[in-house]
Amino acid sequence: MSSDNPGFLARRLSLRQLQVFEAVARLGGYTRAAESLHLTQPTVSMQLKKLSNTVGLPLFDQVGKKLYLSDAGRTLYQTCVEVSDSLERLEMQISDMKGLKQGRLRLAVVTTIEYFAPRVLGKFCEHYPGVDVELKVTNRKRLLERISQNQDDLYILGQPPDDVELDARPFLPNPLVVLAPRGHSLVGQPRIPLKRLLEEPFILREPGSGTRKTVEKLFADHGLQARVRLELGSNEAIKQAVAGGLGLAVLSQHTLSLEGGAGPLAVLDVEGFPLERQWYLVYPKGKRLSIVAQAFYDFLMTERENYNIPDYLRV
Ligand code: PGA
């Protein structure tokens, strides 16, 4: 094909074929791709066969029943993502010219953001009813993987990493606090030494969590090691475990936003706490934000104060 015949692919490829290929690659099989595109499976295989012939290389390697992208497939997949981003941007620009803000916002956030993201998104969608939102909630490690693969428009996380080029703007404090069941003997005691916490079992988030990394670093910086009784992959599960008396935990104070100051958990007054962290609104440096993503960015920056920790929850 191509290098000795410029424009060959542009003349021979169809957008439909790229769409079929993208769905097979993303969903990992013909059947699921066919379902998601409302096509029959033979149509999907035929489109893929034509595409592979045009490219002149296999796009998938099949091992047993599993499909893996070949090198050529991976390169083509990247092109599909770029083409679909460009078309989406075009759609938004056109609706912007018509005076409507329409399109899709793809937002990925760390788990603690789930305590305010749905509220802020609700308000954003009230302003821009034509916008669809895709919200991914995951831990720090997986979020960093998503950033490196350019999977979303915008990201929200704690301390951004130093080794990736990012546009990162702090927008809201994210204090981390020590939580205990309300009836615990340490509740109400002033200035509890950090060392005293070693006498208590601890509940930690899963490896890969930014909250966990911060807690581990704090103890390590003081030459201490917490006694870990349990690891759980969700902030809500940890709150339940603390309330059930399984141990203490360090979590974002935002995790208490729904039950307020009167729930089954109390914040301990421990030396060095709250750990003052910030949340950052982030995207890869140089990325052109879509019109909808830019609108959300601006909206969040003007609205952020409304999502701060309420006074009654402050330690
Ligand atoms: P986590 O992230 O959900 O991975 O604990 C929290 C953070 O980065 O602020």
Side-chain angles (χ1 to χ4, degrees):
M1 54 143 203
S2 55
S3 58
D4 46 336
N5 189 355
F8 173 82
L9 284 180
R11 285 196 303 277
R12 295 287 296 273
L13 287 181
S14 77
L15 269 181
R16 189 57 166 165
Q17 287 169 353
L18 292 184
Q19 201 182 20
V20 168
F21 165 73
E22 191 278 334
V24 175
R26 181 168 42 85
L27 299 169
Y30 290 23
T31 315
R32 286 163 74 186
E35 271 166 23
S36 96
L37 296 171
H38 306 292
L39 295 174
T40 62
Q41 207 178 318
T43 309
V44 167
S45 348
M46 192 185 65
Q47 295 280 9
L48 269 188
K49 197 155 178 236
K50 278 191 188 162
L51 182 61
S52 177
N53 286 341
T54 306
V55 170
L57 288 169
L59 302 172
F60 292 99
D61 299 320
Q62 182 148 8
V63 181
K65 284 194 165 173
K66 267 192 122 169
L67 287 180
Y68 295 90
L69 280 173
S70 65
D71 286 347
R74 254 194 304 280
T75 311
L76 183 62
Y77 186 71
Q78 193 49 41
T79 304
C80 288
V81 172
E82 285 160 19
V83 169
S84 107
D85 276 359
S86 299
L87 287 176
E88 224 171 86
R89 205 171 308 121
L90 174 67
E91 226 170 84
M92 286 189 209
Q93 277 161 343
I94 289 171
S95 67
D96 203 44
M97 288 172 199
K98 291 179 185 162
L100 318 157
K101 283 249 185 310
Q102 277 189 347
R104 179 169 292 262
L105 170 68
R106 280 165 308 191
L107 187 63
V109 305
V110 287
T111 62
T112 39
I113 308 292
E114 71 190 337
Y115 290 91
F116 88 92
R119 279 182 289 142
V120 80
L121 284 171
K123 214 151 168 213
F124 178 71
C125 291
E126 249 174 53
H127 274 69
Y128 302 111
V131 172
D132 293 329
V133 180
E134 224 176 277
L135 175 66
K136 284 268 168 327
V137 181
T138 184
N139 71 19
R140 177 182 175 87
K141 181 163 179 264
R142 281 189 223 113
L143 196 89
L144 294 179
E145 284 163 11
R146 295 186 72 85
I147 294 178
S148 70
Q149 291 161 8
N150 191 20
Q151 288 190 351
D152 314 273
D153 296 318
L154 285 170
Y155 305 86
I156 304 180
L157 76 162
Q159 192 56 41
D162 299 327
D163 55 346
V164 191
E165 288 238 61
L166 296 174
D167 192 300
R169 186 150 162 213
F171 71 97
L172 201 64
N174 173 30
L176 300 188
V177 292
V178 184
L179 298 179
R182 196 159 281 287
H184 195 282
S185 60
L186 290 176
V187 175
Q189 288 195 24
R191 316 296 299 145
I192 303 163
L194 188 61
K195 235 177 150 177
R196 169 65 183 83
L197 298 187
L198 301 188
E199 292 170 34
E200 306 290 328
F202 254 79
I203 305 166
L204 283 191
R205 283 278 307 276
E206 78 288 0
S209 143
T211 312
R212 173 181 175 134
K213 210 169 147 203
T214 314
V215 180
E216 285 179 336
K217 180 169 180 328
L218 173 81
F219 279 105
D221 285 350
H222 287 79
L224 305 173
Q225 203 179 0
R227 207 152 51 83
V228 180
R229 171 178 276 172
L230 197 60
E231 288 184 4
L232 291 170
S234 117
N235 298 312
E236 276 306 303
I238 291 186
K239 283 165 60 187
Q240 294 292 338
V242 173
L246 282 166
L248 306 184
V250 177
L251 289 183
S252 164
Q253 198 164 5
H254 286 275
T255 61
L256 297 178
S257 58
L258 268 192
E259 56 269 53
L265 302 179
V267 174
L268 297 184
D269 178 8
V270 178
E271 256 174 17
F273 281 88
L275 292 176
E276 297 297 350
R277 298 189 85 216
Q278 289 282 331
W279 277 326
Y280 290 77
L281 191 49
V282 167
Y283 58 90
K285 224 182 190 83
K287 181 180 168 103
R288 248 177 58 213
L289 288 187
S290 71
I291 289 166
V292 166
Q294 187 63 54
F296 181 73
Y297 191 104
D298 299 339
F299 184 82
L300 189 56
M301 286 303 162
T302 42
E303 287 281 318
R304 55 187 163 168
E305 278 307 314
N306 298 334
Y307 299 94
N308 215 337
I309 301 276
D311 281 342
Y312 64 83
L313 269 184
R314 289 189 189 280
V315 198

